[in-house]
Amino acid sequence: MTTSWPGSGSEPGSGFEPSDGSASAAFHRFHPEVQRWIYDSGWEHLRDIQELAAPGVLAGERDLVLSASTASGKSEAAWLPICSVLRRELDAGRRPLGVQTVVVSPLKALINDQYQRLSDLCDRVGLPVHRWHGDVPGSRKALVLRAPSGFLLITPESLEALFVRQGTEIGRLFGDLRYVVIDELHSFIGTARGAQLQSLVHRIELRIRRRVPRIALSATLGDLSAAAEFLRPGAGREVEVVAADSDAGGDVRLQVRGYLMADPPAPTHADRIADDVFATVHGGDNLVFANSRAAVEEYADLLAQRAAAAGNRTEFLAHHGSLARELREDVEARLRDPDRQVTAVCTSTLELGIDVGSVDAIAQLGAPLTVTGLRQRLGRSGRRPGRPAVLRVYVWESRTCETSPPPDALRGELFQTVAMVELLLAGWYEPPHAAGAQLSTLIQQILSVTAERGGERADRLHRDLCRNGPFTSVNRSVFAQLLRDLGRHDLLRQDADGVLLPGGRGDRLVNHHSFYAAFRTSTDHRLVAGGRSIGTLPVQRPLLPGTLLIFGGRRWRVVNIDPERRVIYLTPSDSGQPPSFAGNGGETADEVRMLMRDLYLSAEVPRYLDPVARQLLAEGRKQFHRHGHATQQLFDWRGEALLFPWRGDRIMNTLLVVLASHGWTVGQDGLCLTVHDLRAVDLWEVLADLARTPPPDPVDLARTVRVQTREKHDHYLGDDNLALAYAGRSLDVPGTWDLLADLARLPPPVDPPSRGGSVGEDT
DNA sequence: GACCTGCTGCGGCGTG
């Protein structure tokens, strides 16, 4: 079969073929204007994901998960067939009566980027594109409300605001909806924001009284069937999963570099790493990822000092979520500027698909937090044809001696890094955790529905949000208790007919803009220097005038604090310290910790390790065997029993809660749990006893935890529902009892761990 | 010890 170009007929067989050499079937099914746009864009062929996705999207019946690597043309795989369908309807004389495609995206910056790209296509095809988020002027939003049509690119929070503020308009706005597209699906799965998104999409379908096909896009889905189930709760099996692996991309150059922390006053590991990063990144544009905002500030400062001392023209700029938007956008603009050499030191702010131009190399400082994040970071480079993706991971370990506790001798940072790189190379990503009942987000959605509908009956709320909606695990009795909790806090009240309405406090909550986000944020202090806001800082301890700070890559002294208005006034200074930020980290997965143990037991040396990293690998293995980890998981250490479960943080947390509920004083120290005033052999007995008892009810176990609140509206929950929410979010009782069964099969620990000489002296 | 994401309506002011 040959391909002839529409209109011209002059380019038969112009190479419009998928990479297997067969003629493109999809191209011929697109509308001629879409075909012309593809041709004018200079594409030689459709990408695999575009070829594979086209029939399903064109049919417009089934839900689809489109999974393909970064920069593989996933967005266009949805847009091209959707534009074809919508344009054919225009040709047939059908005028749209509302928005035809909603694209929900997790970031404003992604929406802005996609708006540009989609507008180029839609201008040709004759379809309008609108964007709607917090930075879009109200006048533009008013235009959409007046004449809704075409594509609407929107955040979940703005969609929430539409339901609350324009509740009566939802049916008119979306009455003609043909597709719902969800971009970067992985960023929503298993989160409060994801439950909110499921609810909002479901609520659109409820209002227009029909099902709308959903199309989800992602490059890093750890579990495709879980993604399908998330996309259409209760009917994941009917979702078509389209995965294209063949575009998985070009060369990857990867190195793990090890450092052994020197004793003071020798140069610190940070100085040595900054020297090495500086030596490798000058020239071109680079991204340096750190694991905390404080580390970003520290390294941006160290690198800028080196550039200044060397008279180097590379700019080193900090980029993280607490910096003012103007400062961040300035960094992004400089990265895009081809005349500047810019290295951004950043947190996960630059991890997702924000277009910052072509990046030459990626540095990761410290062990990666997740495989998914590492993959996204790697995907920021190598986006130009013929250029490899370059990733250098910098890992440092402390010098240890015989008084160091056993976990430090194991070189856990290095082994975690190697485990994550191996999982990355194997194409594995963290599967979503069960998130439990998501009661905090359910509270938000109950209040939102009552606002949208001007009041609603309890049975209908349960039917729409739980029985037929995304909060399926919430039964009538939990729901009834939840409504009583909300009544007690004056969030809801009931009128004489039994209709639930927002109470006084609920009314204030819903009518404040902070209501639209499902996730919790801290109360930040604004940092002001020279009359300009330079960012925000979550302050945990009182900050005194005179305190020195490094922020935005510059040094400051605190001159004054306004606690009422939560403003911190700064003046430039010659010295400073990185600020401390509050935060709750992610969870390390079971698979990572289990692979770490396999790596200790193995003798293989990955080729991507530099000499010091190899040495740390050898030391870690030596200590692993010397301490008896190959056959034991329980050890004595200075009056404490140590337990190495080699499982993820959720199981470690569950085990900690179980032991604490039996009266033991338990802590977590990286890879191990520490139990005070107990011998290892006694802990072995305790664990064996536990393994013989039936697993506890997770909710009963959760009740023993002192602080169970974590999500935004958790503090409104009564004791029962709070424990239910905690259990679903933070406990894995079955996984923990599987582990206990394994531990009970181990021989009882006999000897205290051998106390060898100091580790790592020979560097 | 660890990341990120989001936000309406309206009053006041200056300018064309």
Side-chain angles (χ1 to χ4, degrees):
Chain A
M1 190 197 285
T2 55
T3 306
S4 61
W5 289 105
S8 65
S10 59
E11 295 98 353
S14 311
F16 240 92
E17 298 165 353
S19 40
D20 65 1
S22 63
S24 169
F27 180 80
H28 291 281
R29 297 188 57 194
F30 291 155
H31 187 277
E33 288 295 342
V34 173
Q35 294 179 340
R36 210 164 273 139
W37 179 86
I38 294 171
Y39 179 60
D40 290 348
S41 301
W43 294 15
E44 289 175 9
H45 58 84
L46 291 182
R47 311 289 291 272
D48 286 357
I49 188 66
Q50 294 159 354
E51 198 70 46
L52 293 169
V57 182
L58 286 167
E61 302 281 334
R62 291 179 69 177
D63 303 315
L64 293 160
V65 170
L66 308 188
S67 166
S69 62
T70 50
S72 64
K74 277 187 304 297
S75 300
E76 287 79 4
W79 297 344
L80 298 172
I82 291 175
C83 283
S84 292
V85 169
L86 299 186
R87 175 56 199 262
R88 288 211 170 95
E89 295 196 351
L90 273 182
D91 290 351
R94 256 197 87 222
R95 292 288 161 246
L97 300 170
V99 171
Q100 295 158 291
T101 300
V102 172
V103 181
V104 189
S105 172
L107 294 176
K108 292 188 287 191
L110 279 185
I111 287 178
N112 294 343
D113 187 53
Q114 302 228 330
Y115 176 71
Q116 301 272 338
R117 286 165 51 202
L118 182 56
S119 294
D120 188 55
L121 166 62
C122 284
D123 285 351
R124 165 64 65 85
V125 182
L127 294 165
V129 184
H130 311 280
R131 65 194 177 117
W132 186 310
H133 58 62
D135 298 341
V136 174
S139 54
R140 303 295 294 268
K141 296 174 181 171
L143 280 177
V144 179
L145 288 172
R146 209 176 306 146
S149 64
F151 285 83
L152 178 66
L153 312 182
I154 194 166
T155 61
E157 289 73 20
S158 283
L159 199 48
E160 187 74 73
L162 265 177
F163 270 100
V164 171
R165 304 265 161 196
Q166 314 282 345
T168 55
E169 300 288 307
I170 296 289
R172 183 177 66 84
L173 275 177
F174 297 118
D176 230 359
L177 193 64
R178 304 296 305 274
Y179 296 95
V180 172
V181 179
I182 299 173
D183 202 7
E184 305 285 2
L185 182 79
H186 67 276
S187 72
F188 292 109
I189 299 178
T191 69
R193 208 180 186 200
Q196 176 190 27
L197 176 60
Q198 287 177 315
S199 178
L200 291 169
V201 173
H202 177 64
R203 287 167 62 191
I204 290 177
E205 293 185 347
L206 281 179
R207 279 298 283 276
I208 64 176
R209 296 164 182 275
R210 64 186 166 84
R211 186 185 152 282
V212 179
R214 303 175 185 179
I215 302 169
L217 315 175
S218 176
T220 50
L221 290 168
D223 181 339
L224 290 171
S225 60
E229 180 62 26
F230 176 87
L231 183 63
R232 181 67 69 174
R237 271 189 234 164
E238 288 151 43
V239 174
E240 184 183 348
V241 174
V242 182
D245 301 326
S246 49
D247 283 333
D251 282 353
V252 174
R253 295 216 322 247
L254 190 137
Q255 189 186 33
V256 174
R257 301 162 76 107
Y259 296 81
L260 195 59
M261 207 191 286
D263 299 320
T268 64
H269 71 282
D271 277 311
R272 289 165 55 204
I273 288 168
D275 285 339
D276 281 7
V277 171
F278 183 69
T280 50
V281 303
H282 56 67
D285 293 334
N286 303 277
L287 297 179
V288 177
F289 286 97
N291 287 342
S292 72
R293 286 166 284 189
V296 163
E297 293 290 351
E298 182 183 10
Y299 280 97
D301 182 61
L302 290 172
L303 288 164
Q305 282 176 28
R306 279 155 180 76
N312 192 295
R313 60 183 281 255
T314 299
E315 298 172 82
F316 290 93
L317 305 168
H319 191 285
H320 58 73
S322 292
L323 282 172
R325 186 164 53 87
E326 292 73 24
L327 297 182
R328 277 191 279 162
E329 286 176 353
D330 181 54
V331 176
E332 291 159 31
R334 285 171 194 237
L335 274 166
R336 278 191 291 266
D337 185 341
D339 296 331
R340 289 172 182 270
Q341 294 180 4
V342 176
T343 291
V345 187
C346 54
T347 58
S348 41
T349 41
L350 289 180
E351 185 176 294
L352 278 183
I354 299 171
D355 176 27
V356 290
S358 64
V359 171
D360 295 286
I362 307 294
Q364 161 70 38
L365 306 183
L369 300 173
T370 61
V371 180
T372 306
L374 187 64
R375 183 67 190 83
Q376 295 280 355
R377 290 172 184 196
L378 175 63
R380 300 293 99 212
S381 83
R383 294 169 82 91
R384 271 190 303 189
R387 298 288 289 273
V390 179
L391 171 67
R392 297 185 184 90
V393 187
Y394 297 77
V395 185
W396 54 94
E397 295 281 0
S398 327
R399 193 174 287 278
T400 54
C401 59
E402 58 186 290
T403 55
S404 305
D408 291 359
L410 288 177
R411 308 308 193 192
E413 287 279 307
L414 179 82
F415 279 79
Q416 180 172 322
T417 301
V418 174
M420 290 197 168
V421 169
E422 291 293 322
L423 289 166
L424 168 78
L425 295 174
W428 181 92
Y429 308 110
E430 283 83 5
H433 264 303
Q438 299 276 18
L439 294 182
S440 168
T441 307
L442 179 55
I443 290 175
Q444 181 205 34
Q445 292 302 300
I446 289 170
L447 293 172
S448 178
V449 170
T450 56
E452 172 201 345
R453 302 181 186 174
E456 186 52 287
R457 297 166 51 95
D459 56 340
R460 291 192 185 163
L461 283 171
H462 183 260
R463 179 195 64 194
D464 289 347
L465 290 172
C466 305
R467 200 173 76 219
N468 301 334
F471 300 92
T472 40
S473 71
V474 177
N475 62 32
R476 293 184 70 92
S477 89
V478 168
F479 193 76
Q481 183 58 51
L482 186 67
L483 294 182
R484 284 194 290 275
D485 292 340
L486 298 185
R488 206 175 57 245
H489 285 100
D490 193 28
L491 293 177
L492 283 181
R493 63 188 172 82
Q494 201 158 21
D495 73 8
D497 301 329
V499 173
L500 294 167
L501 298 161
R505 193 165 178 185
D507 209 48
R508 286 194 297 279
L509 199 66
V510 170
N511 287 305
H512 192 265
H513 59 78
S514 60
F515 175 74
Y516 309 131
F519 51 88
R520 180 152 92 169
T521 48
S522 55
T523 48
D524 291 341
H525 284 57
R526 205 153 52 87
L527 295 174
V528 174
R532 235 179 110 212
S533 279
I534 61 166
T536 58
L537 189 64
V539 177
Q540 310 131 63
R541 278 176 245 101
L543 205 58
L544 299 171
T547 302
L548 299 171
L549 281 182
I550 299 177
F551 195 87
R554 297 179 59 188
R555 287 149 187 270
W556 309 96
R557 186 166 54 81
V558 174
V559 285
N560 199 8
I561 295 153
D562 182 343
E564 281 287 298
R565 296 171 54 217
R566 292 201 293 270
V567 180
I568 299 169
Y569 296 94
L570 303 174
T571 188
S573 157
D574 291 334
S575 47
Q577 287 288 318
S580 64
F581 293 94
N584 39 40
E587 283 183 0
T588 301
D590 287 328
E591 286 82 353
V592 172
R593 294 262 165 73
M594 288 158 88
L595 180 55
M596 282 175 72
R597 184 161 193 275
D598 292 345
L599 289 168
Y600 283 110
L601 290 165
S602 162
E604 279 180 42
V605 179
R607 292 173 54 188
Y608 48 78
L609 300 184
D610 84 339
V612 179
R614 281 167 198 244
Q615 181 200 323
L616 294 171
L617 184 86
E619 285 172 10
R621 283 175 174 163
K622 190 167 128 195
Q623 293 302 319
F624 183 86
H625 289 287
R626 177 189 280 180
H627 284 279
H629 287 278
T631 53
Q632 259 308 326
Q633 293 179 242
L634 289 157
F635 305 95
D636 285 294
W637 181 260
R638 308 194 151 193
E640 295 185 336
L642 305 187
L643 167 61
F644 288 75
W646 301 110
R647 291 294 189 282
D649 285 327
R650 193 172 287 210
I651 286 180
M652 286 183 81
N653 180 56
T654 308
L655 205 47
L656 187 147
V657 172
V658 169
L659 290 168
S661 73
H662 283 77
W664 304 105
T665 306
V666 199
Q668 184 179 345
D669 181 6
L671 295 171
C672 72
L673 294 179
T674 59
V675 187
H676 287 270
D677 293 326
L678 192 65
R679 293 185 308 154
V681 66
D682 297 324
L683 179 56
W684 182 81
E685 294 277 357
V686 169
L687 296 173
D689 283 346
L690 283 170
R692 281 191 291 270
T693 61
D697 176 52
V699 180
D700 289 339
L701 187 59
R703 279 183 226 279
T704 68
V705 177
R706 201 167 299 156
V707 181
Q708 297 166 43
T709 51
R710 187 167 134 189
E711 301 289 347
K712 187 175 182 181
H713 300 298
D714 277 352
H715 56 284
Y716 296 123
L717 296 171
D719 291 348
D720 292 341
N721 282 343
L722 183 59
L724 181 70
Y726 181 91
R729 184 179 58 230
S730 303
L731 298 179
D732 177 0
V733 171
T736 302
W737 253 251
D738 287 347
L739 168 67
L740 286 171
D742 290 348
L743 292 172
R745 279 193 285 272
L746 291 175
V750 276
D751 292 313
S754 61
R755 310 275 162 83
S758 71
V759 179
E761 287 170 324
D762 45 350
T763 49

